[in-house]
Amino acid sequence: MRCQMCGRDLGEDDVYIHNGETLCEDCYIEASHRIRVCDPWGEYSARTFRKMHGLKGDEGLTEIQKRLYNLVCSRKVTREDLQAELGLSPQQLENEIAILRHCQLVKGRREGDKVYIVPWEYTGGDEAPSSEGAQRI
């Protein structure tokens, strides 16, 4: 038997079923621990925590979140750009974006047929996002 996400060979005791898929333990954990992007309580909690602790920009973020946030603040990037540059799985990237979205640091923005991940304050246009975004809440 094989994991349907990563293709790893599985023994009988190493099989997890999630949404009808046969998964290994690592893929099961990744698939079942999704952070919802649209989560009013998550956003409220993150904003309140950051405000209470006086955190601005990339303060208080994990190293990968800091890298992601600073990439977004330096230029317009798509999820695919971020995934390739940071070496994250699609689900890991979505979780990190969701956390930064809850902190009101990044958001998605559709421009034409592409969706870019941009700083929260970004209003559009062809220019690159402002590096000032790295200094704001």
Side-chain angles (χ1 to χ4, degrees):
M1 202 175 298
R2 290 184 158 284
C3 173
Q4 290 180 278
M5 280 182 75
C6 71
R8 182 184 308 165
D9 287 323
L10 302 173
E12 258 185 59
D13 296 337
D14 299 327
V15 174
Y16 294 82
I17 306 297
H18 180 71
N19 291 335
E21 290 187 310
T22 303
L23 306 174
C24 67
E25 183 176 14
D26 292 339
C27 291
Y28 171 75
I29 289 171
E30 186 174 317
S32 64
H33 288 85
R34 294 190 169 150
I35 299 172
R36 292 180 30 218
V37 174
C38 185
D39 178 1
W41 280 112
E43 187 174 321
Y44 172 79
S45 298
R47 280 186 297 119
T48 302
F49 178 86
R50 289 180 62 78
K51 185 176 183 178
M52 280 179 34
H53 294 282
L55 300 174
K56 299 200 182 295
D58 66 5
E59 295 173 342
L61 301 178
T62 67
E63 288 305 312
I64 197 71
Q65 290 165 352
K66 286 179 185 181
R67 287 180 55 208
L68 191 156
Y69 178 62
N70 290 316
L71 278 169
V72 167
C73 289
S74 68
R75 66 183 195 275
K76 289 169 62 171
V77 290
T78 63
R79 283 176 169 78
E80 294 78 15
D81 298 333
L82 289 168
Q83 189 178 341
E85 201 150 336
L86 298 172
L88 300 174
S89 73
Q91 190 55 54
Q92 289 170 320
L93 179 63
E94 288 305 313
N95 284 344
E96 299 301 342
I97 289 171
I99 291 167
L100 295 178
R101 166 72 176 72
H102 293 170
C103 297
Q104 293 188 341
L105 293 173
V106 304
K107 64 184 177 182
R109 173 138 181 130
R110 180 174 299 281
E111 294 181 9
D113 61 346
K114 289 191 175 189
V115 175
Y116 293 96
I117 306 302
V118 298
W120 187 260
E121 301 84 9
Y122 183 71
T123 58
D126 291 332
E127 75 280 356
S130 169
S131 62
E132 292 174 22
Q135 304 306 315
R136 296 183 183 155
I137 288 182

